[in-house]
Amino acid sequence: MDMDSCWEALEELAGASSTSYDEPTREEIDRWCNLFGYVESEAPDVIKEFRLDLNRRRLTNDQWDTIKDDKEAEGHDRETYEHQLQLSLTQSKISSRPRAYDDQALFVFKLGPPFADIESLQSAVGVLATLKKGLGEEGDVDFAHVTGAAKRAIEDWIETQSPRPPRPTFIRLSQSPKDLSNMSSHPTLGINSSLPQHRLQDKQAHAPAQMEYPVWYLFYGTLADPETLQKCIALPSTPRLVPASTKGGVLRNWGRKYKALVDGPADARIDGFAYLVETADHEEYLRFRETEAYEVVRCPITLEGGEEVQGLTFRFVKQEDLDVD
């Protein structure tokens, strides 16, 4: 998912209403019920959520053309077959993926009945949410940002209500998690920061802090290209990247074209480029670009010339998806 796709989807949702949304046709509902066993009342919501899922895998035109005749003979159209692939992928990974991975995912939904505002959401369900403003066809629109754990709690609450209120349309925002502890060095590249020796001593502060800006980042992949970085965070001019390195990690390959930084020996050196991220907004753009396949972690950075700073980098978390060496 890139930032343009993300914001286009949010703008579409901001301007949408229950009457303007392109509802599934009768034929589409019947097809989904017949193929997947959904009941008629739930199928429209399932289809709607599937279509708004920014992270779902899509077949290319060539891939679909190759199997189209066989799949249509089985009752599929392109959309239902993509849904079948999604279900198969989910089932194959569900046993190996930790629950916390989904719990920390970020979702956004448009506030409206039964949750008119953040306060009513928190009062009814007891979950934390962040208010975000958007602009729709009829003016300002309020969105709630929630974690995957909060999303599940909202869905469970709705199921207990009678009559059952409308179910919000959740859009998953694939963003690298950032949760820097103020009690220990966790998370730090190449270090098991849960061990006692990495906890705070004598009120020392582990740097960088969660909301510390500007902050140095070490880039080792596509973000190390100045033009790519400029486009990602919408800079007016080409950014200055400084040759730099860190220790404690190794680079692996992901998807045969992406670099993935994972923990390594303490003396393992990674060369890259450092950049001073000035604002939280710029950092958020970077986290959206890297997606939840990565997490933000602390790391020591040695700049060209020998200066050492405490900074951050993106560590790969989806170990099961790494290419086999």
Side-chain angles (χ1 to χ4, degrees):
M1 181 195 71
D2 56 37
M3 284 298 297
D4 290 340
S5 299
C6 172
W7 297 126
E8 285 173 6
L10 291 179
E11 288 170 2
E12 178 182 341
L13 183 59
S17 66
S18 58
T19 56
S20 64
Y21 180 75
D22 186 15
E23 297 285 351
T25 65
R26 176 76 265 170
E27 180 181 0
E28 289 172 332
I29 292 173
D30 289 343
R31 179 182 294 116
W32 283 65
C33 290
N34 292 334
L35 288 170
F36 305 113
Y38 297 126
V39 298
E40 186 174 323
S41 60
E42 70 174 334
D45 285 338
V46 174
I47 297 171
K48 184 176 182 181
E49 183 168 3
F50 175 78
R51 290 174 176 173
L52 288 172
D53 183 356
L54 302 178
N55 297 294
R56 65 183 173 92
R57 297 189 176 182
R58 292 175 169 82
L59 296 172
T60 65
N61 290 335
D62 288 343
Q63 288 172 330
W64 176 241
D65 288 342
T66 301
I67 61 174
K68 178 179 178 181
D69 291 342
D70 290 340
K71 296 308 170 184
E72 287 184 343
E74 297 173 4
H76 283 287
D77 59 13
R78 182 170 177 167
E79 187 177 55
T80 58
Y81 185 62
E82 288 177 340
H83 183 57
Q84 178 175 294
L85 293 176
Q86 183 185 60
L87 293 177
S88 299
L89 180 64
T90 300
Q91 289 301 318
S92 68
K93 290 187 176 182
I94 194 167
S95 60
S96 61
R97 173 180 289 181
R99 181 65 170 271
Y101 181 89
D102 289 322
D103 285 353
Q104 294 304 314
L106 184 64
F107 293 83
V108 60
F109 68 92
K110 181 181 175 182
L111 287 170
F115 309 119
D117 49 39
I118 292 292
E119 289 73 22
S120 62
L121 169 63
Q122 294 174 337
S123 175
V125 188
V127 297
L128 295 177
T130 303
L131 177 66
K132 297 288 186 179
K133 294 287 186 178
L135 184 63
E137 294 178 355
E138 299 179 358
D140 291 339
V141 178
D142 289 341
F143 292 97
H145 280 207
V146 296
T147 63
K151 171 182 178 288
R152 190 171 62 252
I154 293 168
E155 292 171 330
D156 290 345
W157 180 85
I158 288 175
E159 291 298 318
T160 66
Q161 304 304 298
S162 182
R164 187 176 299 172
R167 184 176 182 271
T169 298
F170 293 94
I171 295 178
R172 183 167 182 152
L173 302 178
S174 187
Q175 182 185 46
S176 302
K178 180 189 179 187
D179 187 15
L180 307 181
S181 173
N182 61 358
M183 300 297 294
S184 73
S185 60
H186 178 79
T188 296
L189 180 67
I191 290 178
N192 182 354
S193 45
S194 64
L195 297 177
Q197 61 263 37
H198 301 301
R199 296 173 186 163
L200 286 173
Q201 300 292 331
D202 299 326
K203 297 184 179 180
Q204 71 181 105
H206 284 287
Q210 177 75 9
M211 296 301 295
E212 180 179 334
Y213 303 99
V215 59
W216 284 101
Y217 265 79
L218 181 81
F219 300 138
Y220 51 83
T222 54
L223 285 175
D225 174 62
E227 292 184 358
T228 300
L229 180 59
Q230 179 182 3
K231 181 179 179 181
C232 175
I233 57 180
L235 294 173
S237 59
T238 304
R240 176 177 176 268
L241 293 169
V242 181
S245 65
T246 189
K247 290 186 176 181
V250 294
L251 287 178
R252 300 278 302 278
N253 292 317
W254 172 41
R256 300 187 180 277
K257 63 178 181 178
Y258 298 111
K259 296 295 184 182
L261 177 62
V262 297
D263 287 339
D267 59 350
R269 171 172 166 159
I270 296 296
D271 292 315
F273 290 86
Y275 176 72
L276 191 63
V277 176
E278 296 287 348
T279 69
D281 286 342
H282 285 177
E283 183 185 62
E284 188 170 65
Y285 290 144
L286 294 170
R287 291 169 60 201
F288 273 124
R289 188 183 191 281
E290 293 301 276
T291 77
E292 60 191 12
Y294 296 82
E295 63 179 338
V296 177
V297 298
R298 294 179 171 118
C299 69
I301 299 175
T302 302
L303 304 175
E304 184 180 46
E307 180 185 359
E308 294 188 1
V309 297
Q310 295 301 311
L312 303 170
T313 192
F314 289 101
R315 180 172 64 189
F316 194 72
V317 297
K318 299 174 69 174
Q319 300 280 338
E320 71 276 11
D321 289 346
L322 289 170
D323 296 343
V324 177
D325 293 333

